[in-house]
Amino acid sequence: MQTPCIHVCSLDPATGFCIGCGRTLGEIGNWMSYSDSERQQIMAVLPARLSAQPAILVGETSAVPEHRS
């Protein structure tokens, strides 16, 4: 299973994104339950999350729903 984790796990309080991989806490916690397609959707937005200025990210939401049943 592909993962963007680089073992630099710390959430940026200004954005809510992990400073290592760019995922939200919900995305990290639900990673194993996402389909390959959902993981690819998230991974597609991570470079922009990691390179953008914090002020730009304030209104951004997760690429997929936070909770899966």
Side-chain angles (χ1 to χ4, degrees):
M1 173 184 308
Q2 192 174 20
T3 179
C5 183
I6 60 168
H7 304 287
V8 179
C9 306
S10 181
L11 292 179
D12 180 339
T15 64
F17 299 134
C18 174
I19 63 168
C21 69
R23 294 178 293 173
T24 65
L25 186 58
E27 290 167 345
I28 293 167
N30 291 314
W31 195 252
M32 299 293 283
S33 66
Y34 291 143
S35 68
D36 287 342
S37 175
E38 289 169 321
R39 286 191 290 272
Q40 289 172 345
Q41 284 181 306
I42 295 168
M43 290 183 69
V45 300
L46 298 180
R49 286 182 183 176
L50 290 170
S51 66
Q53 296 297 318
I56 295 169
L57 298 173
V58 170
E60 184 172 334
T61 59
S62 174
V64 297
E66 291 291 320
H67 177 70
R68 288 199 52 184
S69 300

